[in-house]
Structure formats: structure tokens, C-alpha cells
Amino acid sequence: MADNNIQQIDSLLLTLQDVLRLKFELESEIESLPENLKTQKEELAEANKKFLELNEKYTKAKEDAASNSIRYDEAFQTRTNAEKMMDTISTQREYEALSKQIDEAKIKETGLLKARNAATALVEELKAQLDAQSKVCDEIKADVDAKSAEIDSIILEKKEQIAELDRRCLQVKEQGISDEIYAKFCNIVKNKKGVGIVAIHGQVCQGCHMVLPVQFVNDVRMGNTTEYCPYCSRILYYEESEDSNIDYSVDSFGEDSDDESFADVVDTGDFDDLL
């Protein structure tokens, strides 16, 4: 017959397990919530990158336009000055030289005018693209900010729920669970997918479905101390079941028994949570 104190602890642990499972589920949800923003943040980063690239092109285009404008003004002034000098020349040779200078100045002026106009048009085009991209960035950022605020609100609510669950955990603990067992049990529940205490049916741990030694099962059944499964580390308690009278010893399978005889007792797929 199990010790009443151990039975009480097992009962408390089963209650605590339900509370811890809810707590750890909430913590997992909090960790995963920021993932919902991942796509939007990546989209915003890409939009900002495109904006910076456009801004770099826009800045360069403005510099080119300013340079072309200065060069055009210089070419215009050169041609104008040359044309004014036509009234002061006195020889055919000077006339021919000055005419050549004026023609060259006109060609250069025309080319620089085209370059200036093209640069100005490019500046206007890039400015329009830059303004449009700025709006795109602002819209995406607004969505990200709104979603972030929503997530922050949800996280705050879940943290309040966790705080309440922590209070419930301590209430259960104070009814008779030691600090050592409490700390171990919390870790077990967290690492074993919400299941930290399981029954033994016959000689089989219901957590990992491993067959346990007879004497070990008897120790659990007596309930003198808190016992942990040597295979899955969960806390164990004995529970009467249809398997309680099954003999799991090797001799019970007969002389011709082999490893396959244990297939009906142990499901290898249940070892996954031990890896």
C-alpha cells in the first residue's frame, strides 16, 4: 500500500502538471508570436533597401545635373563673348579663327544643353520614384507597427496569464511539494512535452513504454519515496490496470522467445521523446 504522503504528493503533481502545461504552452506561444512579423519585416527591409538605392541614384543625378548646368552656362558665356569680339577683329585670319571658336562653342553648348536637360529629366523621374517608394515604406512600416502593437498587447495578456499560473503553481507546491521535487518536476514537464508524472501499468512506464524491473515497480507501488523512470526521467506512480497481472519476465515468454516477443510490450516509436 502506497504511503499516504507519497499519494498526496503524486496527486499534487498531477494537478501541478496541468497548470505547468498551460504555462509552458503560453510561453511557447509568446516565443512564436514574433515569427508572425517576420515576413512583414523582411518586406520592409527590402522596401527600405530599394529606397536607399533610389536615393543614391537621385543624389548622383542631382550632382550630374548641377555639373552639366554649370558647364552649359560656361559654354554659353564663351560663345557669347566670342560673338561680341566679332565687332573688334580687323583681319581675315582673326575672323576665321574666331569663327571657328564660335562654331566649336556652339557645338559644345548644344551638347551640354542636351546633357543638362536629360539630367534634369532623370532627376525629376527619380524624385517621383523616390516619393512613391517612400510611401510604400511608410505603408509597410505602419502595418508592421500596428502588428507589433497587437503582438505586444497579446504578449502582455499572456504574461499576465502566466503570472496567474505561477501563483497557482506555488499554491499547489505549498500544499506539500518540496523545493527539490518542484524544481525537478518543472524541468521534466517542460522537457517532456507537458507530461512529467505517469503511471506504471503492470511493469510498463506509460511515459516511454519501457518495461521496468520487478523490484523497482514494487518500490513504486509501496510508495515510500518518489521514484523517477530510469529511461524517460518522469516521476512514476503505480496504477492498477488490466496489465497489472501480466508477467513481463523473460521466462514468461518461454524458452523459444526472442527479442521480437517483446514487440507487443514495447513500441519502439515511443522512444522518440527520449532522443
Side-chain angles (χ1 to χ4, degrees):
M1 181 66 66
D3 182 85
N4 288 335
N5 184 52
I6 295 298
Q7 283 186 333
Q8 180 186 9
I9 291 176
D10 290 344
S11 177
L12 290 172
L13 290 177
L14 286 168
T15 301
L16 179 61
Q17 177 173 262
D18 292 337
V19 182
L20 287 172
R21 185 183 294 119
L22 291 174
K23 174 189 173 182
F24 295 142
E25 285 176 357
L26 286 172
E27 289 179 345
S28 178
E29 290 173 5
I30 287 177
E31 290 180 2
S32 64
L33 276 172
E35 285 294 316
N36 297 334
L37 271 176
K38 185 177 181 181
T39 301
Q40 289 93 327
K41 285 185 175 180
E42 290 176 350
E43 186 179 354
L44 178 58
E46 188 63 29
N48 285 333
K49 179 182 178 182
K50 185 175 180 179
F51 176 85
L52 291 174
E53 291 173 349
L54 281 172
N55 188 59
E56 185 177 348
K57 291 179 180 179
Y58 173 67
T59 301
K60 178 66 167 54
K62 285 201 303 181
E63 292 174 352
D64 290 344
S67 176
N68 286 333
S69 180
I70 292 172
R71 292 170 63 197
Y72 168 76
D73 290 342
E74 291 175 346
F76 174 82
Q77 192 63 45
T78 298
R79 176 184 62 79
T80 302
N81 292 338
E83 288 176 343
K84 290 179 180 179
M85 291 176 63
M86 291 293 289
D87 296 334
T88 63
I89 60 174
S90 59
T91 66
Q92 182 65 26
R93 183 177 181 182
E94 289 176 338
Y95 176 81
E96 291 176 353
L98 188 57
S99 294
K100 181 179 180 182
Q101 182 181 344
I102 291 173
D103 291 340
E104 291 175 349
K106 285 181 178 179
I107 293 172
K108 184 177 182 180
E109 180 185 350
T110 301
L112 288 172
L113 178 61
K114 290 180 179 179
R116 187 194 68 173
N117 292 342
T120 301
L122 179 60
V123 168
E124 293 174 353
E125 179 184 347
L126 289 173
K127 182 63 168 60
Q129 293 180 18
L130 195 62
D131 290 342
Q133 188 62 26
S134 178
K135 291 181 180 179
V136 171
C137 292
D138 289 343
E139 290 173 358
I140 298 175
K141 186 177 184 303
D143 289 340
V144 170
D145 290 344
K147 189 66 174 179
S148 294
E150 180 184 351
I151 289 176
D152 288 343
S153 177
I154 294 173
I155 289 176
L156 179 61
E157 181 181 351
K158 290 183 181 297
K159 284 184 175 180
E160 291 174 352
Q161 294 174 1
I162 289 173
E164 176 58 30
L165 292 172
D166 281 333
R167 286 191 287 271
R168 288 172 58 185
C169 286
L170 290 178
Q171 289 175 354
V172 176
K173 174 183 178 296
E174 290 169 356
Q175 295 178 50
I177 301 175
S178 68
D179 291 343
E180 180 183 359
I181 291 179
Y182 180 80
K184 288 182 178 179
F185 187 68
C186 287
N187 287 331
I188 295 170
V189 173
K190 188 171 186 177
N191 295 327
K192 297 296 182 179
K193 301 178 181 178
V195 182
I197 180 170
V198 294
I200 294 178
H201 288 174
Q203 282 179 238
V204 180
C205 168
Q206 295 305 296
C208 60
H209 293 271
M210 291 292 286
V211 178
L212 304 170
V214 175
Q215 184 57 51
F216 181 79
V217 173
N218 288 334
D219 291 340
V220 174
R221 190 171 190 175
M222 291 298 293
N224 294 323
T225 59
T226 298
E227 300 289 350
Y228 299 83
C229 176
Y231 301 107
C232 68
S233 302
R234 294 179 173 93
I235 291 177
L236 299 170
Y237 66 93
Y238 190 83
E239 184 176 72
E240 294 291 343
S241 68
E242 294 179 357
D243 299 332
S244 297
N245 296 322
I246 297 178
D247 183 357
Y248 291 92
S249 63
V250 175
D251 292 341
S252 68
F253 291 92
E255 294 181 358
D256 295 331
S257 65
D258 52 27
D259 291 340
E260 294 181 356
S261 303
F262 290 92
D264 295 333
V265 179
V266 181
D267 183 358
T268 56
D270 292 319
F271 287 84
D272 293 345
D273 63 345
L274 300 177
L275 300 178

